[in-house]
């Protein structure tokens, strides 16, 4: 949403905050959209599936991350929405 009186460009970032304490928060996708003055737009963000996994040394391969939450933000210092993951 652009509450200003001039058109702007908004960048939406989506981060995965894994439930596993030893896993870092990671940027999984982002998108930019032009927003007219006083306007609201939906910004679809494609998330990279490779960012939803971790290396499992014991198994010698990739393992999926389970749980945690998605953070929708302008940046990690400006989180606008938290979505819990099952």
């Amino acid at each position: 949403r652009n509450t200003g009186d001039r058109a702007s460009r908004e960048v939406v970032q989506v981060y995965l905050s894994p439930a596993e304490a030893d896993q870092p928060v990671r940027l999984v996708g982002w998108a930019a959209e032009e927003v007219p003055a006083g306007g609201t737009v939906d910004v679809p963000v494609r998330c990279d599936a490779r960012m939803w996994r971790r290396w499992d040394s014991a198994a010698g391969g990739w393992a999926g991350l389970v749980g945690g939450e998605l953070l929708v933000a302008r940046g990690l210092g400006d989180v606008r929405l938290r979505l819990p993951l099952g």
Side-chain angles (χ1 to χ4, degrees):
R1 177 182 325 193
N2 179 359
T3 60
D5 57 1
R6 290 187 281 177
S8 69
R9 183 172 189 257
E10 185 69 29
V11 177
V12 177
Q13 300 174 1
V14 177
Y15 293 87
L16 171 63
S17 178
E20 299 173 28
D22 65 336
Q23 293 297 308
V25 172
R26 55 194 75 190
L27 178 66
V28 296
W30 64 275
E33 191 72 41
E34 296 294 326
V35 185
T40 301
V41 298
D42 291 330
V43 181
V45 178
R46 299 190 76 144
C47 296
D48 187 340
R50 294 174 297 173
M51 300 306 295
W52 298 67
R53 61 188 185 169
R54 62 174 175 76
W55 183 256
D56 184 337
S57 297
W62 293 102
L65 293 166
V66 178
E69 63 182 352
L70 288 180
L71 310 175
V72 180
R74 296 179 82 191
L76 270 178
D78 190 3
V79 175
R80 304 294 178 101
L81 180 65
R82 294 175 178 270
L83 301 168
L85 299 172

